[in-house]
Structures are given as structure tokens and as C-alpha cells.
Amino acid sequence: MATLLHLDSSVFPEEGSASRAVTAAFRAAWQAEHPEGTVIYRDLAADPLPHLDGTAASAGFSDPATHTPEQQTAFALRTRLAEELEQADAVLIGAPMYNFTIPSTLKAWIDQALIMGRTGGAEPSAKGTPVTVVASRGGAYGPGTPREGFDYVQNVLQVLLGDGFGLDVDFIVPELTMAPANPAMSELIPLYEASREKALAEAATKGREAAARAAA
């Protein structure tokens, strides 16, 4: 049975979130192809994971037989997150840009789920799994824009997900999402609307493609 791991990290509900609207479109397309499939869903904003601390980190580098009760509890969570990733045929992540980078709640998931010698290292256990990242942002950060070079979402996640976990990373990028709410950006609303429609169409297409890949 096909399995999708879906993570959202926007602090806003779907009706007020650009990333959640697009991840919802991807998930709907995926589920239409796999109505009996399994979706493992984590809302990292509504139910945040603990940030990695010394207890959880040290447990990842020590023999489980030597773990203290506190390490056992911390490592049980890390193990569960690793298992969810390993079970997935495809991964979907909503990663809005906050202050030029990813939400801390998403970084917490990465830090907890990345276990050297298992999900990370020379032969990551989920290597090659496709991951689609919806990297929404309030402005525009592409080549030639005033804030070119300020994007620490795509480059960071390409390294962490691609090099760290060995995943096959793809991005959908809805831009200018603050245009409808910011009077200074009002002239950019048509570009925002075009970007949004493009992102939703990409999500539907990529959701179907991920479903077909899982069925192959």
C-alpha cells in the first residue's frame, strides 16, 4: 500500500496559508490516485516536536543498551520519526519562508529525524525517496530581484534533505504571497495570482506523478 508522509509547518490555517493550500492540492491529487493509500500527517505548527537537546542528541550516538530512561524516551521519538520517513513512498513538506529561512518547527523535525548511521550517513535508509517542498514566500527572491541571495529556504533544504537524508528533492515556489495584504505591493497582485495558480497546478501534476511513481 502506498504511503505519503505529509508535513506542514505554516503557523496559519489552510484558508490563510499559501503553503497549506498548495500542499493540500498535492495531497488531494495523490490520494485520488491512491484512495486506499496511507497518509502520515504531522502538523508541526499545531503539534510541534521538541527541539533536539543534549539527551536526544547523545542517544543517537550511543549504544541503546546504555541509554538512561530519559535517553530511551527521547530516542523513541527519534526512532518513530525515522520509521515514518522510511515507510514513505513520497514526502510532502510545506515550508513557508519566515525571516528568510525555514520555520524552527520544521528544523526541529529535521534534527530529530536525521539519525547518523540510519536516516543520515553514507547510506541513508530513505535514500532516493522523492520529496516535494512547497517553499512559499511573501516576496520574490529569484535572480534579478532586489533580495536575490536572501533565500535561505531552498538552498538550506536542498542540503539538509538532499545531502543529509539522501532524498530526491523538488520544489514548488508560490511567490509574492504578501501582495494582497501589503498596500505597498498592490501592483504585484497579478503576479502573485499567477504564481499561486501556477503553484496549485504544479501541485496537482506533481501529486499525480508521485502517486504513479509509488505504483510503479
Side-chain angles (χ1 to χ4, degrees):
M1 184 177 295
T3 299
L4 174 68
L5 174 60
H6 176 186
L7 310 175
D8 274 323
S9 60
S10 171
V11 297
F12 300 108
E14 184 176 329
E15 58 271 18
S17 166
S19 64
R20 287 182 187 268
V22 178
T23 59
F26 181 107
R27 176 170 167 173
W30 190 91
Q31 288 185 296
E33 301 296 323
H34 288 292
E36 303 301 322
T38 299
V39 177
I40 302 170
Y41 181 61
R42 285 190 175 271
D43 187 331
L44 300 175
D47 189 15
L49 296 166
H51 287 279
L52 192 70
D53 60 12
T55 301
S58 62
F61 291 98
S62 58
D63 183 346
T66 68
H67 286 177
T68 65
E70 292 77 16
Q71 286 178 313
Q72 290 175 0
T73 299
F75 199 59
L77 171 61
R78 300 191 68 189
T79 299
R80 184 162 72 252
L81 297 174
E83 290 172 346
E84 291 175 355
L85 177 61
E86 291 162 349
Q87 291 166 12
D89 297 289
V91 181
L92 171 65
I93 299 176
M97 178 188 284
Y98 293 155
N99 299 316
F100 306 117
T101 191
I102 64 175
S104 66
T105 51
L106 177 55
K107 184 58 163 59
W109 176 85
I110 291 169
D111 289 341
Q112 294 280 13
L114 187 60
I115 303 172
M116 296 307 295
R118 183 169 179 172
T119 54
E123 286 296 327
S125 53
K127 183 177 180 179
T129 302
V131 53
T132 301
V133 179
V134 178
S136 59
R137 64 278 312 281
Y141 296 81
T145 61
R147 288 187 169 178
E148 178 182 357
F150 280 68
D151 174 8
Y152 298 99
V153 174
Q154 286 184 263
N155 54 359
V156 167
L157 290 179
Q158 182 63 57
V159 171
L160 291 173
L161 300 175
D163 297 335
F165 289 99
L167 305 178
D168 182 5
V169 188
D170 189 25
F171 290 95
I172 300 173
V173 186
E175 293 191 315
L176 302 168
T177 63
M178 288 297 296
N182 185 348
M185 297 175 67
S186 60
E187 65 181 23
L188 299 175
I189 289 177
L191 292 178
Y192 150 72
E193 292 174 341
S195 178
R196 181 178 184 275
E197 292 307 310
K198 181 175 181 288
L200 290 170
E202 281 188 78
T205 298
K206 291 179 186 294
R208 289 190 294 269
E209 290 174 348
R213 183 169 172 174

